[in-house]
Every structure is written in C-alpha cells, then in structure tokens.
Amino acid sequence: MSVRSAIPTAIFLKRRDLEKRVWLKMDLWILPVVTMFYLLSFLDRTNLGNARVAGLQKDLAMTNYQYSIALTVTYIPYIVAELPSNLLLKAVGPNLMLPTMLTLWGVVTVLQGIVSSYRGLLIARFFLGLLEGGVLPGLVLYLSSFYPRRRLQWRISIFFSAASLSGAFSGLLAFGIINMDGIGSRPGWAWIFILEGLFTFVFGLLSFALLPRSPGHSRFLTKEEKDYVAATLRDDGVTSPDEKVDSFSWKEVVMAFTLPHVWLISVIFFMDGTVLYGLAYFAPSIVQGLGHTPARTQLMSVPPFAVAFVLTMIGALVSDRYQCRGLVSMFAFALCIVGFTTFLSTVNNHVQYMSLFFSIAGVYLSAPSLSTWGANNAAPHIRRATAIAIGFIMTNSGGILATWLLGSLSPAPRYVLATKVLLGFSVAMFALTAVNILYLWDQNRRKKSLRENMIRSQEDPGLGDKSAWFIYAL
C-alpha cells in the first residue's frame, strides 16, 4: 500500500473510531437517566390501576364513574402543559426543567398515599398531570437534539421500553407492596404510592447533576467529540447552521400546525393513545376479570409487558437499520388487530389472556415508532418541538377516551364495546400509516426533482423540513 492511499484509510479509521466512541458515550451517560425519567413517569401515572385492584376504589367508596373522573382529571392539565413546556424547554434548559418536574411529581405521588377521600385523590391527580405533562414530549425533543435522525428510534425505544417495563415492574412491585397492608395504619394500596413516590423524589434530586443541557454542555465529551456531534446534527438537518433559525419564533409554531404529515400522524397518535392508555390502566382489571385473585393478578400482568419490551427493542433495531418507521408501525397495528379480534371472538379465559400478548406488544411497539417518525420529519427546532407536542396532546386526548371507554362505558369483564372500538382504531391506524408513507414518499419524489434543478446555496436556509435537501423518513 502506498503512503498516499494509506492517508485516507487512516482518516477513515480515525473518524469511524470517533463516531463509535461519541454515540457510545452518549448512550451510557444520557439514556439511563432519560429511561429512568420515563419509567417513573409512566409508573407514577399508571399505578392507579394496581392500587385499584389492591382496594383503592373500595376504600374510597368510588364508583366506576368516579374512577374514570379521577383518570380524566390527570389528563386535562397533562395535555394543557405539553406545548408550553416543550416551547420553554430550550430557553429554561432541560437540565433544570425536567429534573424539577420529576422531583415535584414525586412529592405529589407520595401525597396520593395519604389521601383519605375521593376529593383528595382528585386534587393529587390534577397536580400529578400538571407536573408530568411536559415530560414525554420533552424527552423526545431532548433526545432529538442529541442524536441524528437515523439513530433516533433505537434511543427513543430504549426509554419508551420503560413503559412496558413499568407495566411489568409495577405488577411485581405492587405484589410485594400490598403485603405491607396495615403498616403505619395505611392500606397496602397507599404504600404503592408512598414508596414509588419517594424513589421518584430522590432520583429527581440526583438528576440535576446527571442531565446535560446540550451536547455542547456535556462534560463527558471532549472538544473534538462536541465538534463532531455539532457537525453531524447540522448535516442531518437536526440543527441549522444559523442559530437564529433554531431560536423561538411564533411563525414556526404556526408552521407546525400547517404540515399535512403532522396532522396525519396526530390522528394516529390519538387512536394509539386510546389503545395504549386503555391497556396501561386497565390491563390489571382485565386480567383480574379472567378469574384471578388480586395478588395473582399483579403477577399475571407481568408477562405481556415483558414480551412488549423485547419486541419494542427488536422493532427499533429494524426501524433504524432499514429506516422504515411506517412499516414497523403497520406491523405493530397488525398485532393489535390480531389481539383484539381474538379477545372479542372467544370466552375462553386462557385464550383471552394470550390475546393480551399481541395487543399489548403491538401498541407498545407502535409508540416509539410513531414518536420517532414525528420527530424525524419536522425542523427546525421550534417547529419540531411544536410537532412533537401536538402528537402527544393527541395521544393523551386518546387517553381521556380510554378512561371512559374501559372505565364505565364498557362493562367488565368482557369489555365488548371497548374492544370493538380499539379493534376499529387498530384497523384505522394501519390504513392511515400507509397513507402517511405514500404522502411522504411523494414529497421526497418532488424534492428530488427540485434538487436536480438547483443548488443548495440558492435555497432559503430557514425552510427546515420544507427544504429540498431534507429527506422525510418513511
């Protein structure tokens, strides 16, 4: 090999080593913290289902209607908080804003364990929703500011998998905690809130020291590594060469509301949220309706969520490797269709239980695929922040429907009306995902034609995802 040919090879090897080192460092420093954030968020929001099975509804003399109200009260401030918090995240700093929310909702979760009336529960659930509202869209926006688009779903899936882990973990945890019934004159369900809330509070305080503001503020990266990340994000369209383009602008907020693909995926988000939260909140009740005791119900709730975790990670690897967000989502919705069809078509308890492995795994796979898809296809920063918030506002609006659909409109244990609606939504999501893929494919085809007739310097640098050089993820 000549000296001349060896030089490019050495440069290539050095760059490849730098690339591997940078993303590994980020994965080791950032992902565990972000994953714990979402694990605690989902755990503290959905543990009401475990507490219900453990006697909360009976002790507070709540009807099914009142239980649905308690869930709805969480969602309203949650939805209201999502867009403002995402728009403020960059200005305030995610390293301050996210840990503050986590610490405060830990306090509120503990307070749920000492309520002695339905009214007290409603107040606690309201503030829990208000403080948690900005977390999920904030975490997606935060990660999308650290990783290039092609690497994003694996990372989002890691922290999203915390949702399926929390479904499994909460069942195991609740099984152990309810045995504390009577300690400190508190019922077992109260200790679910108290212990989980205390852990959230402590981790919230620790996270102030763990979460970096941005790649440029990451203490674990060298200057060379920071420069590499900044250049990679610029080349990928995640950030703009002109900082003014990424600064706050009401024009960009409005622009996000005009994007057809944002609204297409937002309708999917609404239906997906209905399915996701319906199963997250009511899986323990569904399992109990299959003839299990409260203690065994907590354990039997674990396996479907464990399978969902494994499938979510496999789906993320496939999606990032082949850049097929939409196709992975369609596969997820096909699993939901199989699950709900099976649940609806039989009265056999064992078969109905097995159907949960399809529906729960399917919807938990779809969530990170859709979230990554939405984040991948909006730029610059404020437009992306708004698009992400719109998606999660729709997701949690679907959560409100889920609380009523399974809480009081569809009687247990068969949940016939709810299952029919969730099946219909799964079919509709499958079809709309196909429509979105075709729309984005057509937009990419048009952009290719534009690139053939102009050079990049002729284009307005503030176009964001409307740029001919911004290729939509399919």
Side-chain angles (χ1 to χ4, degrees):
M1 181 185 292
S2 67
V3 173
R4 183 172 297 177
S5 63
I7 292 174
T9 302
I11 293 173
F12 170 77
L13 291 174
K14 181 180 179 182
R15 182 177 178 83
R16 189 172 66 175
D17 178 67
L18 175 64
E19 183 178 32
K20 290 171 65 176
R21 187 171 71 246
V22 164
W23 305 126
L24 179 61
K25 276 188 176 182
M26 283 203 185
D27 290 346
L28 293 176
W29 279 87
I30 295 172
L31 288 184
V33 182
V34 169
T35 301
M36 186 59 73
F37 262 71
Y38 192 53
L39 172 66
L40 294 174
S41 168
F42 212 82
L43 190 66
D44 292 341
R45 192 159 18 110
T46 60
N47 56 14
L48 195 66
N50 297 103
R52 182 193 194 193
V53 170
L56 166 74
Q57 185 169 351
K58 180 181 177 182
D59 288 353
L60 297 186
M62 294 162 55
T63 64
N64 287 341
Y65 175 84
Q66 288 175 316
Y67 180 75
S68 295
I69 288 286
L71 294 176
T72 305
V73 163
T74 310
Y75 280 110
I76 294 173
Y78 195 103
I79 291 168
V80 170
E82 287 181 302
L83 180 56
S85 66
N86 242 28
L87 296 179
L88 285 171
L89 193 68
K90 187 175 181 180
V92 175
N95 58 316
L96 297 176
M97 194 166 172
L98 293 173
T100 299
M101 290 190 291
L102 181 66
T103 304
L104 292 178
W105 96 57
V107 173
V108 174
T109 301
V110 171
L111 293 177
Q112 280 186 107
I114 63 173
V115 298
S116 57
S117 67
Y118 175 61
R119 181 183 178 186
L121 179 66
L122 291 182
I123 294 171
R125 297 300 295 181
F126 175 87
F127 283 102
L128 187 69
L130 185 65
L131 292 166
E132 282 196 34
V135 173
L136 181 51
L139 291 176
V140 172
L141 181 61
Y142 181 68
L143 285 184
S144 71
S145 302
F146 275 78
Y147 292 96
R149 292 184 297 153
R150 69 183 183 279
R151 296 180 178 273
L152 191 58
Q153 184 165 341
W154 169 250
R155 276 77 187 185
I156 287 181
S157 291
I158 286 176
F159 91 75
F160 251 105
S161 67
S164 50
L165 278 180
S166 77
F169 183 62
S170 64
L172 288 172
L173 200 60
F175 176 74
I177 293 175
I178 58 175
N179 291 320
M180 296 177 65
D181 186 60
I183 295 177
S185 300
R186 305 304 307 165
W189 60 262
W191 285 107
I192 293 176
F193 295 128
I194 293 170
L195 294 182
E196 292 177 7
L198 282 173
F199 184 84
T200 300
F201 174 77
V202 172
F203 187 81
L205 294 177
L206 289 174
S207 64
F208 279 101
L210 298 174
L211 211 61
R213 183 185 181 102
S214 67
H217 291 84
S218 301
R219 297 189 301 272
F220 53 86
L221 295 178
T222 65
K223 185 179 185 305
E224 180 189 25
E225 291 166 344
K226 291 176 184 178
D227 291 343
Y228 167 77
V229 173
T232 301
L233 295 179
R234 275 196 306 271
D235 292 344
D236 196 44
V238 174
T239 59
S240 171
D242 184 355
E243 289 188 9
K244 291 182 180 178
V245 174
D246 282 329
S247 61
F248 180 80
S249 165
W250 282 112
K251 177 185 174 183
E252 292 299 339
V253 174
V254 173
M255 187 67 183
F257 282 90
T258 68
L259 299 175
H261 60 276
V262 168
W263 284 109
L264 263 174
I265 202 170
S266 292
V267 174
I268 301 171
F269 267 122
F270 172 78
M271 293 186 284
D272 196 63
T274 306
V275 179
L276 177 66
Y277 288 117
L279 292 173
Y281 277 115
F282 291 93
S285 298
I286 293 170
V287 173
Q288 187 178 31
L290 299 178
H292 300 291
T293 64
R296 185 165 176 78
T297 292
Q298 308 290 5
L299 290 177
M300 293 295 288
S301 300
V302 173
F305 289 99
V307 170
F309 167 74
V310 174
L311 187 63
T312 297
M313 301 315 301
I314 294 173
L317 285 172
V318 172
S319 181
D320 272 354
R321 173 68 177 83
Y322 297 102
Q323 295 297 292
C324 54
R325 318 297 191 207
L327 290 178
V328 169
S329 298
M330 290 178 72
F331 174 71
F333 299 138
L335 291 178
C336 290
I337 292 169
V338 171
F340 292 126
T341 301
T342 303
F343 191 90
L344 197 62
S345 61
T346 183
V347 293
N348 184 292
N349 288 347
H350 297 294
V351 177
Q352 285 189 319
Y353 177 70
M354 290 303 298
S355 75
L356 296 178
F357 284 83
F358 289 92
S359 52
I360 290 175
V363 75
Y364 277 82
L365 170 61
S366 71
S369 298
L370 292 175
S371 299
T372 307
W373 208 13
N376 277 173
N377 290 331
H381 176 83
I382 293 299
R383 195 184 305 174
R384 184 168 66 252
T386 306
I388 291 171
I390 292 171
F392 286 113
I393 286 170
M394 296 297 283
T395 299
N396 289 294
S397 298
I400 293 177
L401 174 59
T403 63
W404 290 96
L405 197 57
L406 286 94
S408 55
L409 297 178
S410 189
R414 290 279 293 152
Y415 297 99
V416 175
L417 174 62
T419 306
K420 287 180 178 178
V421 172
L422 298 183
L423 174 59
F425 278 8
S426 299
V427 173
M429 287 189 288
F430 185 93
L432 286 174
T433 301
V435 171
N436 199 38
I437 292 172
L438 291 174
Y439 171 77
L440 294 172
W441 174 84
D442 180 65
Q443 291 299 301
N444 285 341
R445 181 181 60 82
R446 293 169 187 258
K447 289 184 177 190
K448 182 180 179 182
S449 178
L450 287 174
R451 291 195 301 274
E452 292 171 350
N453 295 289
M454 64 186 295
I455 58 175
R456 194 163 191 172
S457 60
Q458 294 176 304
E459 190 180 67
D460 182 351
L463 287 177
D465 60 82
K466 290 292 186 180
S467 166
W469 277 263
F470 187 101
I471 309 302
Y472 288 123
L474 301 181

